[in-house]
């Protein structure tokens, strides 16, 4: 059977840069607190002029432009997001229309910050079966923040990333999707999420007045502990199951949640820090976009080389966590749009 291959990669970091200093003018926090607790220096914001669909279109277009394919060649457009364009229809439908992917079926998937790896694992068999897919992870988390809650407002940013994927027997090289694992523990749904606005907790005038409408709620220390334990465990397990040694992993590409979590996972897995990619200082936590955005940046910086093996690990609301191995047969073409200005 053919393997699933990432043929090209697109990344989009919206142009508004919000520094820690800017946040400290708006709430009771400081650059020093944010940097020491999270490693984050700044994050991107899409502002009011963009939506999840427009950001997804940017990264999707970037991936297509970098490739030899046209939107008409796509069989599937998939958007993984926790901050959708609307409740219904799916964000992917707006993207499919705007890109002109007239032969494609479009669907959204939601899985918190582990969602992008889960989505790759769900969609890879379709690529193996010969389908061409545009798999996009997008989050406009600055639209989902309670700006009165300093413990969450400083952590997140906006971004979008896209992988154009297809089968290995179609004559196009790229990054091969290797073995992957994912798990969930639904007994932990209360420690991280956006609980309001669904059928359990309806939107009320009080929520709107308090600015808690659709905003993220998190028990930070519990999330920290689970994140480190679960990502380290599932990272080690996928390496073992693939019968690889740690020394055969060239890069770890972790979910870019915060530097302390990344450092703790690095320590627990036992991999040298110089083989762990982080750009959390510049882009903060971009949820479902995070892993693709990191790979897009790595390709832009020419850090990914033929023959390398990459291990990605992620965790997020649910609680869900996942690991994924990638094997670089060829360096895929990529385009990373990241010019920005402080606001
Ligand atoms: N600025 C200044 N002070 C703050 C801020 C802030 N932005 N936020 C919280 N504080 C204060 C708290 O009020 C508290 O004050 P108190 O002691 O007077 O009560 C103090 O700082 C310490 O708060 P803690 O929560 O104990 O701080 P901690 O060292 O645990 O760090 C943090 C908080 C960074 C949120 C940490 O718990 C963490 O990293 N958790 C994981 C969060 C995360 O990355 N989530 C990922 C999001 S989800 C995802 O990726 C799927």
């Amino acid at each position: 059977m053919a393997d699933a291959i990432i043929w090209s990669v697109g990344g989009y970091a919206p142009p508004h840069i919000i520094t820690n200093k800017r946040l400290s003018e708006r709430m009771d926090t400081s650059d020093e607190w944010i940097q020491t607790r999270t490693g984050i220096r700044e994050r991107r914001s899409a502002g009011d002029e963009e939506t999840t669909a427009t950001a997804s279109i940017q990264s999707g277009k970037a991936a297509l432009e970098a490739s030899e394919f046209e939107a008409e060649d796509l069989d599937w457009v998939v958007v993984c997001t926790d901050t959708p364009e609307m409740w219904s229809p799916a964000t992917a439908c707006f993207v499919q229309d705007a890109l002109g992917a007239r032969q494609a079926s479009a669907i959204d998937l939601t899985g918190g910050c582990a969602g992008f790896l889960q989505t790759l694992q769900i969609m890879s068999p379709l690529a193996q079966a010969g389908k061409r897919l545009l798999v996009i992870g997008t989050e406009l988390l600055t639209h989902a923040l309670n700006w009165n809650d300093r413990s969450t407002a400083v952590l997140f940013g906006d971004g979008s990333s896209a992988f154009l994927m297809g089968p290995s027997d179609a004559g196009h090289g790229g990054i091969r999707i290797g073995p992957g694992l994912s798990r969930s523990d639904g007994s932990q749904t209360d420690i991280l999420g956006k609980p309001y606005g669904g059928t359990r907790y309806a939107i009320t005038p009080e929520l709107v007045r308090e600015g808690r409408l659709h905003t993220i709620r998190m028990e930070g220390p519990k999330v920290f502990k689970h994140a480190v334990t679960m990502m380290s465990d599932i990272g080690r397990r996928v390496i073992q199951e693939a019968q690889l040694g740690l020394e055969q992993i060239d890069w770890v590409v972790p979910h870019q949640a915060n530097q302390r979590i990344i450092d703790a996972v690095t320590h627990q897995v036992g991999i040298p820090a110089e083989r762990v990619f982080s750009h959390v200082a510049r882009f903060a936590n971009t949820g479902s976009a995070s892993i693709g955005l990191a790979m897009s940046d790595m390709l832009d910086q020419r850090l990914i080389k033929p023959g390398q093996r990459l291990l990605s690990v992620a965790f997020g609301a649910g609680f869900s966590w996942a690991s994924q191995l990638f094997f670089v047969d060829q360096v895929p073409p990529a385009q990373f749009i990241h010019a920005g200005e402080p606001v």
Side-chain angles (χ1 to χ4, degrees):
M1 189 171 194
D3 288 316
I5 303 282
I6 302 168
W7 284 333
S8 72
V9 174
Y12 173 62
H16 307 300
I17 300 175
I18 304 181
T19 60
N20 291 346
K21 182 169 175 293
R22 186 83 186 86
L23 282 184
S24 68
E25 290 159 9
R26 191 171 175 173
M27 64 186 74
D28 183 17
T29 189
S30 65
D31 179 44
E32 196 265 335
W33 193 96
I34 302 171
Q35 286 219 41
T36 52
R37 297 302 209 288
T38 72
I40 296 166
R41 287 201 310 266
E42 60 192 39
R43 70 284 295 138
R44 295 303 180 92
S45 164
D48 292 335
E49 64 271 24
E50 282 198 81
T51 66
T52 301
T54 63
S56 304
I57 292 160
Q58 293 271 8
S59 71
K61 253 192 196 157
L64 278 167
E65 279 170 12
S67 78
E68 304 165 27
F69 294 93
E70 304 289 337
E72 293 260 7
D73 298 324
L74 295 172
D75 299 300
W76 282 90
V77 175
V78 184
V79 175
C80 177
T81 185
D82 274 48
T83 49
E85 187 82 359
M86 295 180 183
W87 260 68
S88 176
T91 307
C93 293
F94 296 94
V95 180
Q96 178 258 343
D97 178 54
L99 293 177
R102 273 172 281 276
Q103 310 304 320
S105 176
I107 191 168
D108 285 2
L109 291 167
T110 298
C113 303
F116 190 69
L117 292 187
Q118 291 173 306
T119 300
L120 286 182
Q121 290 167 12
I122 294 166
M123 301 313 287
S124 287
L126 285 175
Q128 290 178 276
K131 302 294 183 193
R132 296 168 183 155
L133 308 103
L134 190 60
V135 177
I136 299 173
T138 304
E139 226 68 84
L140 260 56
L141 288 162
T142 62
H143 289 223
L145 291 173
N146 178 353
W147 293 101
N148 296 318
D149 176 9
R150 64 181 180 171
S151 67
T152 52
V154 302
L155 300 176
F156 297 95
D158 299 339
S160 182
S161 54
F163 288 175
L164 177 63
M165 292 168 54
S168 55
D169 56 10
H172 305 276
I175 298 178
R176 193 155 33 95
I177 309 273
L181 293 171
S182 62
R183 296 282 184 276
S184 296
D185 176 3
S187 71
Q188 303 295 326
T189 47
D190 55 339
I191 65 171
L192 173 62
K194 280 194 293 143
Y196 301 106
T199 54
R200 180 176 295 203
Y201 301 117
I203 296 167
T204 62
E206 288 73 36
L207 286 176
V208 177
R209 265 200 303 278
E210 290 164 20
R212 285 196 286 142
L213 182 74
H214 272 94
T215 58
I216 293 172
R217 238 193 87 295
M218 180 183 72
E219 292 186 37
K222 280 193 191 163
V223 171
F224 192 104
K225 197 168 137 236
H226 279 288
V228 172
T229 311
M230 301 314 188
M231 278 202 292
S232 306
D233 177 64
I234 207 161
R236 277 193 300 253
R237 260 195 303 141
V238 79
I239 295 172
Q240 266 167 18
E241 286 186 18
Q243 298 184 327
L244 293 169
L246 272 182
E247 68 290 350
Q248 290 170 289
I249 302 298
D250 299 282
W251 281 109
V252 177
V253 188
H255 168 47
Q256 306 285 306
N258 81 46
Q259 193 58 45
R260 274 166 69 211
I261 293 179
I262 293 173
D263 290 345
V265 171
T266 303
H267 180 72
Q268 284 209 10
V269 173
I271 201 136
E274 60 274 15
R275 284 197 262 144
V276 180
F277 181 77
S278 173
H279 67 181
V280 73
R282 287 161 57 219
F283 299 107
N285 183 346
T286 59
S288 306
S290 148
I291 301 262
L293 208 62
M295 282 174 61
S296 184
D297 196 1
M298 291 174 79
L299 287 162
D300 197 55
Q301 294 185 43
R302 310 219 185 296
L303 297 175
I304 295 179
K305 307 259 185 331
Q308 287 183 340
R309 298 183 186 90
L310 277 54
L311 166 68
S312 195
V313 285
F315 72 97
F319 214 78
S320 292
W321 59 103
S323 58
Q324 182 62 53
L325 286 164
F326 297 98
F327 303 128
V328 185
D329 295 337
Q330 277 177 37
V331 177
Q335 196 182 164
F336 182 31
I337 303 163
H338 60 97
E341 285 283 332
V343 290

